[in-house]
Amino acid sequence: MADDWDFYFARIDDAVASIYLNLGLRADAPNEKQPWLLWVFVEMQAPREDGMSSKEESPILHQIEESLVAAINPLCGAQLVGRITGQGRREFYFYGSEPGELDAAVAQAMRAFESYEHECSSAFQPDWDQYLKLLYPSDSNLQRMFNRRVLDALAANGDVHETPRRVDHWLYFPAEEGRAACRETLAAIEFTVIDEHLHEEPGDDMPYTLVVSRMDSVEMRTINGITLELAGRPAQHGGRYGG
């Protein structure tokens, strides 16, 4: 299982929250060797007014996380899969082979942080619902995360995101009819077809590729709006947006 940690913002119980998770676990979830969900909730001492973690408290919250991982992983055969920060607390979620030593592990980890109120518990959850249905981002949030990665890479090379440039987009379809219909709708909003071809590889359920292009800026709000709209176009024809 590869480590691929990233974050996004969401609303939980009508409050803003930051969700940080290992996306790399998705391909193998649920993991039958780790059917137990383990969680530790830590109350923050100096949250921001919106309930999120403050810059001043972040270092000690990071130390608490490292201490919890070091104690829980070996005692419970567990791994940290994600965390939620919001409403004045940080929630850590693990999946493990068993919960038996969780209380002892958490007590050991929090010994150096006695002023922090915390609680822990566990539940048998072989379907990994907490990871797949709560922590894992929606398609739109996942697209926003991927967009941010691309923009960060461009910024590292001195890119000015507001400058319009040719931006290519890849779309995939199960049949030629869907690709043709989508091509027409994209032409109506000034996208130019760059390429279209057929992948004839065994097991490929989206063999019809369409590559389109348009002059656009790539600042975050603009490119998020464009890619989310493009993601919806192939979906109407059983296809998907590739990036």
Side-chain angles (χ1 to χ4, degrees):
M1 298 181 185
D3 279 342
D4 184 13
W5 290 88
D6 209 336
F7 74 95
Y8 66 100
F9 293 100
R11 294 197 70 84
I12 299 177
D13 298 330
D14 292 324
V16 65
S18 170
I19 300 179
Y20 181 65
L21 77 157
N22 187 353
L23 297 169
L25 301 176
R26 179 62 182 87
D28 297 310
N31 180 353
E32 62 181 13
K33 294 181 180 179
Q34 294 178 318
W36 282 89
L37 172 67
L38 318 174
W39 64 88
V40 183
F41 295 167
V42 176
E43 298 295 326
M44 291 186 281
Q45 295 183 353
R48 299 184 334 200
E49 289 185 5
D50 61 2
M52 301 292 285
S53 60
S54 64
K55 188 177 298 184
E56 294 75 19
E57 194 172 17
S58 288
I60 195 167
L61 292 174
H62 181 67
Q63 293 173 25
I64 289 173
E65 178 176 324
E66 289 185 331
S67 185
L68 288 169
V69 168
I72 292 173
N73 286 15
L75 286 178
C76 303
Q79 62 178 325
L80 181 69
V81 301
R83 70 180 192 227
I84 299 176
T85 303
Q87 302 184 71
R89 73 180 183 185
R90 179 160 287 180
E91 305 175 357
F92 300 94
Y93 294 97
F94 299 76
Y95 277 97
S97 58
E98 59 179 344
E101 299 297 325
L102 178 62
D103 289 345
V106 173
Q108 173 186 322
M110 296 300 295
R111 194 168 293 132
F113 311 97
E114 292 182 352
S115 63
Y116 276 83
E117 295 183 11
H118 62 276
E119 60 181 285
C120 63
S121 192
S122 61
F124 186 65
Q125 196 184 90
D127 52 10
W128 278 43
D129 269 3
Q130 187 73 13
Y131 176 81
L132 294 172
K133 296 183 178 181
L134 180 61
L135 295 173
Y136 202 80
S138 64
D139 289 344
S140 58
N141 277 327
L142 193 61
Q143 184 62 54
R144 291 185 182 96
M145 294 165 77
F146 290 156
N147 288 346
R148 188 181 68 245
R149 292 182 179 188
V150 172
L151 296 186
D152 287 347
L154 289 173
N157 287 290
D159 183 74
V160 178
H161 298 337
E162 291 76 14
T163 303
R165 82 290 306 277
R166 174 181 143 176
V167 183
D168 295 345
H169 305 269
W170 279 258
L171 302 91
Y172 303 97
F173 302 85
E176 166 57 26
E177 293 79 8
R179 180 171 68 178
C182 192
R183 183 196 311 122
E184 292 182 10
T185 64
L186 294 179
I189 52 175
E190 301 182 339
F191 281 95
T192 300
V193 174
I194 301 301
D195 183 33
E196 49 186 330
H197 54 268
L198 173 64
H199 281 290
E200 296 183 304
E201 297 182 6
D204 188 352
D205 60 350
M206 298 278 179
Y208 292 86
T209 299
L210 176 65
V211 184
V212 298
S213 178
R214 195 174 70 179
M215 292 292 292
D216 285 300
S217 72
V218 295
E219 59 89 20
M220 182 67 78
R221 182 170 303 205
T222 298
I223 202 63
N224 279 344
I226 293 169
T227 56
L228 292 176
E229 179 179 3
L230 284 176
R233 301 279 176 152
Q236 298 172 9
H237 307 285
R240 64 178 174 82
Y241 178 65

